Amino acid sequence: MRRPHSRLLAPATALLLATACGVEHADTGASVPVPRATVTDPPVDGVRITSVTVPTVSPTPSVTPDGVHADRLPGDSGISAAYQVSNDGDRALTYTVLFDFTTDTGAVMANRKVTVRGVGPGRSTSGTVALGALAPGASPVTRVKVAEVTRVPADEAPSEAGACPSSGVRLWADDGDAAMGLRVVGLHLENCGKRDYALDGYPRLSLLDDDLAPVDGIRVLHGGAAVATGTGLDVPPAPLVLRPGETALSGLVWRNTTLAGTAVNVPYVRVLAKPGAAPVTVTPNLDLGTTGKLGVGAWRRADR
């Protein structure tokens, strides 16, 4: 049961690019200029789209100066958007951005997630996100918008792949599962270093708001049974040692029940694998409702 992501597909502050930023057509192998209007919509948490490319249905391959044809791959829509990420904060941040590819009416046909690492304070960086293949039968995509942005300190960004962090371990959260208001998100830890890594007990958690400030009033309880039975997070804590290449699992469990009071949403969780470990900030987007509690499982060795 996969955690639903309707919030990722819901309309957000849209940058209506087809009319606001101009469209580059690839039917002649060169850009066809379109008048550009001023973009009135503000960036979404420091991320804005600067242009969008929507080729015609049957584009003519472009030719490079050396005579090589720059054909698109079979099935590639050729649709892409250029974006800019600007950090107006006082520390380096890593951004994860969800881009929605939509029709003229705003219906989302696909989305793509991009991680932009280590944008320094006061700095900007640019990039391009491509749609790739569009699902058969999908309506034409003409616009791209920033649907969601998360930002974590660059030195606390989760790392599922790539170079091993200086701590010698990777830690990240998965997309999670959901059913009937129950949420379960896995925490994964891999020893990617060259030395054994010892664990004993539960991850240490700090709940953070949109500004990465502490969220008070939520009880963090040990074990899944504190929230619901059958979550798989009730294994008693026990010492374990991960050899290089081995992994461990924990997890977060909560309900989004809303009764009397104000619902609480916690976008970020700072995780310490154990006391003294390097912090990693993950983005499980805890929709805690009015329950006021979050369960966390003990570290256990991952099944091979």
Side-chain angles (χ1 to χ4, degrees), residues 6-19 23 41 49 52-55 77 79-81 98-112 129-135 138-148:
S6 58
R7 64 177 179 79
L8 302 183
L9 301 178
T13 302
L15 305 181
L16 303 184
L17 305 174
T19 58
V23 177
D41 291 329
I49 296 175
V52 64
T53 301
V54 181
S77 66
I79 299 171
S80 63
L98 186 76
F99 295 94
D100 280 351
F101 291 77
T102 79
T103 65
D104 277 335
T105 61
V108 179
M109 294 295 103
N111 51 28
R112 298 290 180 265
V129 57
L131 171 59
L134 191 61
S139 299
V141 168
T142 58
R143 303 179 181 184
V144 186
K145 65 184 180 183
V146 178
E148 182 181 74

Side-chain angles (χ1 to χ4, degrees), residues 18-299:
T19 58
C21 294
V23 177
E24 299 175 17
H25 293 278
D27 55 334
T28 62
S31 297
V32 177
V34 174
R36 290 174 179 250
T38 300
V39 177
T40 58
D41 291 329
V44 179
D45 293 331
V47 182
R48 64 182 295 262
I49 296 175
T50 57
S51 66
V52 64
T53 301
V54 181
T56 57
V57 176
S58 301
T60 301
S62 59
V63 181
T64 63
D66 58 4
V68 177
H69 286 271
D71 297 323
R72 296 202 306 269
L73 295 174
D76 186 356
S77 66
I79 299 171
S80 63
Y83 61 86
Q84 183 181 66
V85 178
S86 299
N87 179 4
D88 61 359
D90 57 4
R91 64 187 300 184
L93 297 174
T94 287
Y95 293 72
T96 299
V97 187
L98 186 76
F99 295 94
D100 280 351
F101 291 77
T102 79
T103 65
D104 277 335
T105 61
V108 179
M109 294 295 103
N111 51 28
R112 298 290 180 265
K113 185 177 288 188
V114 174
T115 297
V116 182
R117 295 189 178 275
V119 182
R123 304 294 296 271
S124 295
T125 189
S126 300
T128 301
V129 57
L131 171 59
L134 191 61
S139 299
V141 168
T142 58
R143 303 179 181 184
V144 186
K145 65 184 180 183
V146 178
E148 182 181 74
V149 179
T150 57
R151 301 165 293 174
V152 301
D155 56 356
E156 297 181 12
S159 176
E160 187 175 351
C164 185
S166 58
S167 63
V169 297
R170 308 184 200 278
L171 195 155
W172 70 95
D174 60 33
D175 288 337
D177 295 327
M180 299 297 290
L182 180 67
R183 314 287 199 237
V184 180
V185 167
L187 295 178
H188 303 255
L189 184 147
E190 177 191 0
N191 181 0
C192 57
K194 298 180 180 180
R195 300 180 179 178
D196 290 350
Y197 192 82
L199 292 168
D200 186 4
Y202 299 86
R204 273 62 173 176
L205 308 180
S206 299
L207 308 189
L208 308 174
D209 64 15
D210 283 319
D211 296 321
L212 298 174
V215 175
D216 298 323
I218 305 299
R219 293 177 295 157
V220 177
L221 306 173
H222 288 170
V227 175
T229 59
T231 62
L233 298 179
D234 290 318
V235 176
L240 65 97
V241 175
L242 299 180
R243 295 185 176 86
E246 293 184 334
T247 57
L249 295 175
S250 176
L252 309 177
V253 57
W254 71 97
R255 289 193 182 275
N256 71 339
T257 306
T258 300
L259 298 173
T262 302
V264 175
N265 294 304
V266 178
Y268 302 102
V269 177
R270 179 173 286 129
V271 182
L272 299 182
K274 61 182 180 180
V280 174
T281 299
V282 298
T283 56
N285 290 292
L286 308 176
D287 53 341
L288 296 169
T290 56
T291 62
K293 60 183 180 180
L294 171 70
V296 59
W299 288 115

